[in-house]
Amino acid sequence: MTTHLNKVHHVTTITQVARDLGEDDWLRDVANEMEIEDGAIWVYGVGEGGIQAFTDFGIERPIEMIRFYKENLDCSGGNPAAYAEWIP
């Protein structure tokens, strides 16, 4: 019998990732476009509405997306999430 083991043993909250990257606004905007396959999940606790968190893989994806925005789009003065459909 084969047992499926989840290889994710921890996640990091969006608040901590934003602090580490210094990219709070950008991170929150691009994270809204992420799916579970991208390593983004929601974590719920007692009496909490939930907070977005990332697997280690999930942290790399928004870094790539932010880099793409900054290198390829003129988002000055605009909301980067408005350009989400341009992300490959």
Side-chain angles (χ1 to χ4, degrees):
M1 177 178 188
T2 303
T3 304
H4 180 271
L5 298 176
N6 188 342
K7 295 184 180 180
V8 175
H9 57 84
H10 73 275
V11 294
T12 306
T13 65
I14 192 169
T15 305
Q16 183 63 49
V17 174
R19 181 178 298 140
D20 292 346
L21 297 177
E23 295 285 358
D24 189 52
D25 291 334
W26 281 93
L27 179 62
R28 291 180 192 283
D29 288 337
V30 298
N32 286 331
E33 303 299 322
M34 294 177 66
E35 302 291 336
I36 194 166
E37 296 85 14
D38 296 320
I41 63 170
W42 283 89
V43 179
Y44 297 93
V46 175
E48 297 177 7
I51 187 166
Q52 195 168 22
F54 304 99
T55 63
D56 286 343
F57 168 75
I59 294 170
E60 295 302 317
R61 182 71 175 130
I63 290 171
E64 293 169 6
M65 293 169 74
I66 290 167
R67 186 176 300 125
F68 177 85
Y69 281 135
K70 288 183 174 183
E71 291 175 357
N72 297 294
L73 306 174
D74 178 15
C75 298
S76 58
N79 182 335
Y83 302 98
E85 68 273 4
W86 297 8
I87 299 288

